[in-house]
Amino acid sequence: MAAAAGGSGAAATLWSEVNRCGQNGDFARALKSVNKILQISKDDVTALQCKVVCLIQNGNFKEALSVINTHTKVLTNDVIAFEKAYCEYRLNRIENALKTIQSAGQQTDKLKELYGQVLYRLERYDDCLAAYRDLIRNSQDEYEEERKTNLSAVVAAQSTWEKVMPEDLGLREATYELCYNSACALIGQGKLNEAMKKLQRAEELCRQSLSEDSDVTEEDIEAELAIIHGQMAYIMQLQGRTEDALQLYNQIIKLKPTDVGLLAVIANNIITINKDQNVFDSKKKVKLTNAEGVEHKLSKKQLQAIEFNKALLAMYTNQADQCRKLSASLQSQSPEHLLPVLIQAAQLCREKQHAKAVGLLQDFADQHPANAAEIKLTMAQLKIAQGSVTKACMILRSIEELQHKPGMVSALVTMYSHEEDIDSAIEVFTQAIQWYQQFQPKSPVHLSLIREAANFKLKHGRKKEAISDLEELWKQNPKDVHTLAQLISAYSLVDPEKAKVLSKHLPSSDTLSLKVDVDALENSHGATYIRKKAGKLTGDNQQKEQGQGDVKKKKKKKKGKLPKNYDPKVTPDPERWLPMRERSYYRGRKKGKKKDQVGKGTQGSTTTGSSELDASRTASSPPTSPRPGSGTAVSATSNVIPPRHQKPAGAPATKKKQQQKKKKGAKGGW
């Protein structure tokens, strides 16, 4: 900032003050001196330029632009183009800044630098790339590293948003910014593992460069690393590691970075992980996407994705009006975009208005035929959900670009088969075969469709039509034995004589050589039975085999033990293996006289009453286990006592002893 020559002594003193403050960076004090100069000479061009610069340095961009617009006669575009364009750029008036730069008489290096930044904000990446290449080629100063960083950022944006394959610029990735931009370009190409390695390298370089400064704390380093960690979490999310990604996202939010754009992107990604779960957390995260200035920090596609997720969240939280409002706004901004219409249709389906949803999708398909394929697939899905399979098939067959695809043919045939509409299913096969016959006659898909059509027709009794398809296949490849065998099998059901004639074309059994190694096949892992080779055993194996044989010979069956009172002349009891309770002659346990007299009721009740109240004696109470015979079966059997119930010979009588014991116990009676 140079002082004006000449002027009064007071003005000269003020100019020296302005010059000194400018060199010291005290622009607030310099502004006061400039204002005093303008009181002396209000149209001093240099003083006005100095005032604008002081205001810009103090961050007062609106006031600086007001000064420029107020003194347009003195501060022409040729004089102050850079300052005016810079104020407009900082106030996010990007289109105005571009016009100011383009209308400047002389394109200085400063204007070219700003021009590159403006083009990047306008997402005109091709023009921006050319501008930075020109700057790097024609300038040599201490800002060359920053220009290379900006150039790599443009390449990364092209790869991410325009899916352009980035060219190798030959940039040496010596800084963490260059490493980070290179990783972003790799993410755009889908090379996620390589991108993760680049980000890890960027983190190392960032820590190294910041740790050299003693004034930088660990918190400052973590804040600087936040954007790198955010990109790492995004890669984890793309790889399906949602838990790891969610943990890293939350760590970044806890740091409370000042970059509102970074916070908005992280909050949006957390919402996409939550989906229709954890809705309360998603509603809190949405607030971060609404922060002031977010729209100036993110690209158009990023902002659009955030708005889509807001609409979906409104749908999941049953805010139907909010969902409709957001989706309608998105549709007005991007009339050809599919997502707003799909969101509206999904909301209508949640409200059980399926017919209205299908009508909405049909209107969009009619208005935008280029994007009709995906819409019609959604319509077919809705029809299937309603049970209208035939209507769904009609919608699918109206998608001309997908009619001949094997997946579409398979889906249609399956659906028609489910509806037992075999004619329509065969018609789908015929149309697809005709398309390939016309455009790709030698395609493997063509032959595969003919074979599948023949198999389908044979399965549903259309033998003659199947024979026609198989003959077509055999003509195209007469050496195909499999097709010939199928053709003979089909003719055997319709014309056996023709089958015999065709069977002559089959190769003889002598010409068929099966080169199969039987031993290798038997010894393979999949063999369930391995034939043991016959041969002499030698060495230890022979001794082991002999030893095992000796052991087997020594084993003998033990003779069964017979009862002591076994009589071979008496026939054994045929029910001896049954438990006693289940035998036909079992009459129950005998009860003593005293036990019968004991009452089961309250004190003083008689035995008669207790027996009447006993539920086990009633006829309605079923037995706990069935009995195979009744009491009458005993008389039908022989009176021979079974061997197991015969008392051994010479057994002492115990009846007398029991009676003697009872007599002893009766002495203490009343």
Side-chain angles (χ1 to χ4, degrees):
M1 190 184 297
S8 62
T13 305
L14 290 171
W15 276 118
S16 61
E17 179 71 16
V18 170
N19 193 22
R20 186 175 64 256
C21 291
Q23 291 176 355
N24 296 332
D26 190 357
F27 294 100
R29 191 170 180 180
L31 182 60
K32 294 178 180 179
S33 300
V34 169
N35 287 331
K36 291 178 180 178
I37 293 171
L38 288 172
Q39 289 176 358
I40 299 170
S41 176
K42 63 177 181 179
D43 292 330
D44 191 328
V45 178
T46 307
L48 288 170
Q49 282 181 298
C50 290
K51 182 175 182 177
V52 170
V53 171
C54 288
L55 290 170
I56 290 172
Q57 291 289 348
N58 291 328
N60 298 325
F61 303 110
K62 282 186 178 180
E63 191 176 347
L65 191 60
S66 177
V67 171
I68 294 170
N69 293 331
T70 305
H71 300 83
T72 51
K73 292 182 180 179
V74 181
L75 299 176
T76 60
N77 206 28
D78 293 336
V79 175
I80 203 164
F82 174 77
E83 288 79 4
K84 183 181 179 182
Y86 184 76
C87 288
E88 291 168 337
Y89 173 78
R90 292 300 300 270
L91 292 170
N92 297 306
R93 303 172 187 176
I94 310 301
E95 294 288 349
N96 294 340
L98 180 63
K99 291 178 182 178
T100 302
I101 294 170
Q102 291 173 340
S103 63
Q106 184 181 0
Q107 294 294 321
T108 61
D109 288 344
K110 291 191 300 182
L111 277 173
K112 288 179 181 179
E113 295 274 4
L114 185 58
Y115 180 59
Q117 292 287 341
V118 168
L119 291 174
Y120 184 81
R121 287 284 299 276
L122 291 171
E123 299 182 18
R124 292 169 53 180
Y125 299 122
D126 291 335
D127 296 336
C128 184
L129 192 66
Y132 277 118
R133 276 179 167 167
D134 180 63
L135 277 169
I136 292 171
R137 192 183 301 114
N138 299 319
S139 60
Q140 290 183 349
D141 52 25
E142 66 272 18
Y143 299 109
E144 184 178 0
E145 200 69 36
E146 283 79 358
R147 295 189 188 101
K148 289 180 178 179
T149 301
N150 292 342
L151 183 66
S152 65
V154 176
V155 172
Q158 280 184 318
S159 176
T160 304
W161 308 122
E162 297 181 351
K163 302 302 177 184
V164 175
M165 183 63 67
E167 56 181 304
D168 187 8
L169 300 174
L171 299 175
R172 192 171 62 89
E173 297 170 1
T175 63
Y176 70 90
E177 293 93 345
L178 285 169
C179 267
Y180 173 81
N181 290 335
S182 176
C184 293
L186 289 170
I187 292 172
Q189 300 172 59
K191 300 177 181 178
L192 301 181
N193 292 329
E194 295 180 35
M196 182 63 83
K197 291 178 182 178
K198 289 278 186 185
L199 290 172
Q200 290 169 351
R201 175 61 180 160
E203 183 179 4
E204 292 176 5
L205 290 172
C206 182
R207 289 187 182 277
Q208 289 176 5
S209 62
L210 294 179
S211 60
E212 294 173 359
D213 191 348
S214 57
D215 295 333
V216 177
T217 62
E218 185 63 28
E219 292 180 357
D220 296 335
I221 295 174
E222 289 298 325
E224 189 69 21
L225 288 171
I227 190 169
I228 298 174
H229 290 160
Q231 206 68 278
M232 285 180 173
Y234 176 61
I235 291 176
M236 293 174 187
Q237 185 176 352
L238 292 178
Q239 291 175 335
R241 298 159 55 191
T242 53
E243 292 297 328
D244 297 335
L246 198 59
Q247 184 178 0
L248 195 50
Y249 282 142
N250 287 321
Q251 287 178 5
I252 297 169
I253 289 177
K254 286 180 182 178
L255 292 173
K256 296 180 180 179
T258 56
D259 189 349
V260 292
L262 174 63
L263 281 173
V265 170
I266 289 173
N268 175 74
N269 292 351
I270 291 174
I271 292 169
T272 60
I273 291 174
N274 290 339
K275 295 182 180 178
D276 57 344
Q277 304 297 320
N278 204 0
V279 179
F280 180 72
D281 179 64
S282 296
K283 290 183 75 173
K284 288 198 299 183
K285 295 297 186 293
V286 164
K287 295 177 182 178
L288 295 175
T289 65
N290 297 328
E292 186 180 355
V294 168
E295 65 276 11
H296 306 304
K297 291 287 185 178
L298 304 179
S299 67
K300 292 178 182 177
K301 290 192 175 181
Q302 285 176 312
L303 293 171
Q304 191 179 58
I306 289 173
E307 291 301 313
F308 286 145
N309 288 327
K310 285 180 183 177
L312 286 171
L313 183 61
M315 183 181 72
Y316 289 142
T317 52
N318 297 320
Q319 295 176 297
D321 294 336
Q322 180 73 4
C323 177
R324 278 191 286 269
K325 182 179 177 181
L326 289 169
S327 56
S329 174
L330 286 166
Q331 191 174 6
S332 63
Q333 294 172 15
S334 305
E336 296 184 359
H337 207 289
L338 298 173
L339 275 178
V341 183
L342 293 174
I343 293 171
Q344 290 178 38
Q347 179 60 43
L348 288 170
C349 289
R350 288 173 72 92
E351 298 170 2
K352 307 298 182 184
Q353 301 183 40
H354 294 88
K356 196 172 181 180
V358 172
L360 180 67
L361 294 172
Q362 184 64 58
D363 292 342
F364 182 85
D366 295 338
Q367 294 172 8
H368 306 282
N371 298 331
E374 293 183 38
I375 291 295
K376 288 183 177 180
L377 288 171
T378 307
M379 291 167 61
Q381 184 178 357
L382 291 176
K383 288 294 183 184
I384 293 171
Q386 293 174 352
S388 304
V389 179
T390 305
K391 291 183 179 179
C393 291
M394 292 173 61
I395 293 171
L396 291 175
R397 293 182 70 176
S398 67
I399 309 174
E400 296 180 1
E401 60 268 33
L402 299 178
Q403 276 185 352
H404 59 279
K405 298 291 183 182
M408 180 62 76
V409 173
S410 176
L412 285 169
V413 169
T414 303
M415 291 162 69
Y416 276 128
S417 300
H418 183 268
E419 294 295 298
E420 298 182 358
D421 189 355
I422 307 304
D423 293 333
S424 298
I426 292 174
E427 186 181 353
V428 170
F429 269 124
T430 304
Q431 289 178 354
I433 290 168
Q434 288 174 354
W435 188 91
Y436 279 99
Q437 183 67 37
Q438 183 178 357
F439 298 104
Q440 299 178 14
K442 296 183 179 180
S443 171
V445 179
H446 182 210
L447 301 178
S448 176
L449 281 173
I450 296 174
R451 190 179 300 280
E452 290 298 325
N455 292 334
F456 182 81
K457 291 170 184 176
L458 282 172
K459 182 180 177 182
H460 291 89
R462 307 292 181 89
K463 301 179 183 64
K464 292 183 179 180
E465 298 177 31
I467 287 170
S468 176
D469 292 336
L470 291 170
E471 283 180 340
E472 178 66 26
L473 275 177
W474 191 44
K475 285 179 184 177
Q476 294 190 18
N477 188 8
K479 295 181 181 180
D480 188 356
V481 181
H482 177 64
T483 303
L484 179 59
Q486 274 189 308
L487 185 59
I488 293 169
S489 176
Y491 264 120
S492 65
L493 301 172
V494 180
D495 190 353
E497 294 299 326
K498 182 69 175 178
K500 288 180 181 179
V501 174
L502 287 173
S503 62
K504 295 178 181 178
H505 295 281
L506 288 170
S508 62
S509 58
D510 298 334
T511 58
L512 296 173
S513 58
L514 298 174
K515 297 179 180 180
V516 179
D517 188 351
V518 179
D519 294 333
L521 187 62
E522 288 183 346
N523 294 326
S524 65
H525 294 291
T528 56
Y529 168 76
I530 300 175
R531 177 175 55 84
K532 293 184 178 179
K533 293 181 179 179
K536 292 183 179 180
L537 297 172
T538 57
D540 297 336
N541 292 334
Q542 188 174 2
Q543 292 175 2
K544 288 180 181 178
E545 291 291 331
Q546 290 176 355
Q548 290 176 0
D550 295 341
V551 172
K552 289 179 181 178
K553 287 179 182 178
K554 288 178 182 178
K555 287 183 178 179
K556 293 182 180 179
K557 287 186 177 180
K558 292 182 180 180
K559 292 182 178 180
K561 290 183 179 181
L562 297 172
K564 293 180 181 180
N565 57 352
Y566 172 69
D567 187 358
K569 295 179 182 180
V570 179
T571 55
D573 180 14
E575 298 183 15
R576 64 187 181 278
W577 307 116
L578 294 174
M580 182 59 69
R581 288 178 176 274
E582 297 180 9
R583 298 184 190 181
S584 59
Y585 46 80
Y586 179 69
R587 296 184 180 179
R589 294 177 62 184
K590 293 181 180 180
K591 298 181 180 179
K593 295 180 180 179
K594 291 185 178 180
K595 290 182 180 178
D596 290 339
Q597 295 172 1
V598 176
K600 296 183 180 179
T602 55
Q603 188 174 7
S605 63
T606 60
T607 55
T608 334
S610 64
S611 61
E612 289 176 357
L613 294 172
D614 188 1
S616 62
R617 295 177 179 268
T618 57
S620 60
S621 177
T624 56
S625 59
R627 297 183 181 182
S630 61
T632 56
V634 179
S635 60
T637 57
S638 62
N639 295 325
V640 180
I641 301 174
R644 288 179 178 271
H645 293 83
Q646 293 176 3
K647 294 182 180 179
T654 57
K655 195 171 182 180
K656 291 182 179 179
K657 288 184 179 180
Q658 289 176 357
Q659 290 175 355
Q660 290 174 2
K661 286 182 180 178
K662 287 180 181 178
K663 288 179 181 179
K664 287 180 182 179
K667 284 182 180 180
W670 292 343

